[in-house]
Amino acid sequence: MRKSLKNIHLWLSIPTGILISVICLSGAALVFERDITQALNPHLYRTEKPQEGKFLKPSELVRHIERQIPDPLTLASLQIPGTPDGVCMASFKETGKKTLSVNPYTGEINGWTENHPFFQTMRKLHRWLMDPPPQKGEKSVGKIIVGTSTLLMAIILITGLAIWIPRTRKSLKNRLRVSCTKGWRRFWYDSHVSLGFYATLFLLVMALTGLTWSFGWYRNAAYSLFGGQDTSKSHGEKRQKEKDSATTDFKVWDQVYTRLLTHYPEHKTITLSAGEAQVDPYPASSMRKNDRIQFDPRNGEIKKIIPYSQTPRSQTLKGWFYAFHTGSWGGMTTKILYFLVALIGGTLPLSGYYLWIRRKFYK
């Protein structure tokens, strides 16, 4: 049995090892994308509070935005910060995930938020091997290769863990440490065996959560396993929301915002859109746990508040999978941990190739 597991581990690793290294190392580069992007562009994410200043009303912010944007864009949502040094983020129907940073005190536009070209390249490499699908949700050769390699990576990790299990206490002691004084071959062997053991659990979490973006059948199975299902808004709902956003009375947002401030005196952000608002009531949390608020678009009356704890699991699972895939669930501590683990994951195939070549050709 042990010999069979070794063969499975070896012959799956040889053809996929380089791909796994590319996926892990590009993933490591993406761990701190948000932090680095904000550090490089502080004016887009932070503002200085005036001595006696207060936030403009949502309708006033919208008016300032419309005056400064040359192109006719349809405002989809306005995110207002819960801290005095935060900025507003305006999103538009025509710009996708690209958002506009706005000073909440003056309505002055700070600029568009954009991903740095380096991180754009790393993301294409990590998810699609530089071969992105023509449209969201569609397939491409690169996407299939990444998904297949990630699935095989999970099998390689499990077989590697089974092989790792020592037979004696002395072997256990050796397999938990890396020797730096017994030559390069022993160093790379210990690195492969010991560091691989320490990183296996986290690499498995990354692989098994990452597969939800590669295969629809896997995503449906994973959602079902955790008591949810992969749902998306119908075309009718999307068309209705687009229609509502085109006829929004932004003065109603002023009333909604005032009422939400009373209900949520402390919060991270309040996001207003057509007929609905979202509030992240946990300023210190590294995860988005939004309460959803439905309001009457005619007078701003709050109709229903759906706390995050009562949100259907099918709508929260994607956020949880993303958080556990990227390491953002525990803040900076888990980000650093995931970064180190991803680096180890990228070097494991390389140390494995080294050991295999030495054994195969330099006996």
Side-chain angles (χ1 to χ4, degrees):
M1 181 66 177
R2 192 180 184 88
K3 185 177 180 180
S4 298
L5 291 174
K6 281 185 177 180
N7 288 332
I8 293 172
H9 185 80
L10 174 64
W11 295 113
L12 289 182
S13 299
I14 290 175
T16 60
I18 291 296
L19 294 172
I20 290 172
S21 288
V22 170
I23 293 168
C24 286
L25 294 177
S26 58
L30 291 169
V31 171
F32 297 110
E33 177 186 7
R34 183 185 180 95
D35 305 275
I36 294 173
T37 300
Q38 292 186 4
L40 292 175
N41 303 280
H43 67 288
L44 296 179
Y45 300 95
R46 288 288 182 271
T47 190
E48 290 186 11
K49 179 185 177 182
Q51 213 166 21
E52 295 183 359
K54 63 178 183 178
F55 288 176
L56 296 175
K57 295 178 180 179
S59 63
E60 294 173 335
L61 288 168
V62 172
R63 194 159 55 246
H64 281 285
I65 292 170
E66 290 175 341
R67 287 174 183 169
Q68 297 174 77
I69 295 180
D71 299 324
L73 299 176
T74 305
L75 185 70
S77 67
L78 183 67
Q79 184 183 87
I80 304 173
T83 55
D85 64 341
V87 296
C88 291
M89 289 293 180
S91 63
F92 301 87
K93 187 179 72 173
E94 298 86 355
T95 59
K97 293 184 178 180
K98 186 177 176 182
T99 56
L100 187 68
S101 173
V102 182
N103 188 312
Y105 298 100
T106 65
E108 180 183 356
I109 289 177
N110 300 321
W112 290 96
T113 61
E114 293 189 47
N115 293 327
H116 193 278
F118 170 77
F119 292 116
Q120 291 178 355
T121 301
M122 288 298 102
R123 182 172 290 100
K124 289 180 181 178
L125 195 61
H126 182 69
R127 296 187 64 183
W128 310 299
L129 289 179
M130 304 304 291
D131 180 34
Q135 291 184 359
K136 183 178 179 180
E138 294 186 1
K139 295 180 181 179
S140 70
V141 174
K143 182 178 180 179
I144 294 173
I145 292 175
V146 168
T148 304
S149 300
T150 305
L151 184 60
L152 294 177
M153 175 183 168
I155 299 173
I156 292 168
L157 289 169
I158 293 170
T159 54
L161 184 60
I163 297 168
W164 177 90
I165 298 174
R167 295 175 178 174
T168 65
R169 182 174 295 182
K170 183 178 179 180
S171 297
L172 174 61
K173 185 177 180 180
N174 290 332
R175 292 188 181 188
L176 290 175
R177 64 184 182 182
V178 178
S179 174
C180 300
T181 60
K182 298 180 180 179
W184 281 109
R185 187 182 184 282
R186 180 58 184 269
F187 171 77
W188 286 114
Y189 176 82
D190 286 350
S191 297
H192 190 81
V193 172
S194 302
L195 296 182
F197 169 73
Y198 291 125
T200 289
L201 176 60
F202 293 100
L203 288 172
L204 268 175
V205 170
M206 294 178 194
L208 296 176
T209 52
L211 283 170
T212 60
W213 283 275
S214 295
F215 301 115
W217 60 267
Y218 180 91
R219 181 169 58 252
N220 292 332
Y223 276 50
S224 298
L225 180 64
F226 289 96
Q229 57 182 345
D230 182 23
T231 59
S232 58
K233 292 182 180 180
S234 67
H235 293 298
E237 289 176 313
K238 290 180 180 179
R239 284 196 299 268
Q240 182 61 41
K241 190 163 187 178
E242 290 176 1
K243 182 179 177 182
D244 291 342
S245 64
T247 58
T248 299
D249 181 358
F250 296 111
K251 288 187 177 181
V252 171
W253 285 9
D254 298 344
Q255 301 173 41
V256 176
Y257 181 63
T258 301
R259 289 166 178 160
L260 291 179
L261 286 178
T262 302
H263 194 80
Y264 295 95
E266 290 188 2
H267 57 277
K268 185 188 291 186
T269 58
I270 292 178
T271 304
L272 301 167
S273 59
E276 183 177 284
Q278 293 189 28
V279 180
D280 188 340
Y282 308 105
S285 175
S286 58
M287 287 187 60
R288 295 179 182 177
K289 297 183 178 181
N290 293 337
D291 292 356
R292 291 174 51 233
I293 294 87
Q294 297 174 359
F295 62 87
D296 191 325
R298 296 168 298 182
N299 55 28
E301 181 184 350
I302 304 297
K303 296 161 61 176
K304 188 176 184 181
I305 295 178
I306 306 173
Y308 177 82
S309 59
Q310 296 179 15
T311 302
R313 187 167 294 182
S314 58
Q315 297 178 25
T316 61
L317 279 176
K318 185 176 181 180
W320 279 102
F321 278 122
Y322 178 81
F324 275 91
H325 183 69
T326 61
S328 60
W329 56 273
M332 185 56 67
T333 301
T334 51
K335 282 186 178 182
I336 294 173
L337 178 61
Y338 269 54
F339 174 75
L340 295 175
V341 167
L343 286 181
I344 293 172
T347 60
L348 286 176
L350 304 181
S351 58
Y353 281 133
Y354 171 81
L355 295 171
W356 177 67
I357 291 171
R358 283 291 301 264
R359 186 171 64 252
K360 187 77 174 175
F361 301 103
Y362 300 95
K363 294 181 180 180

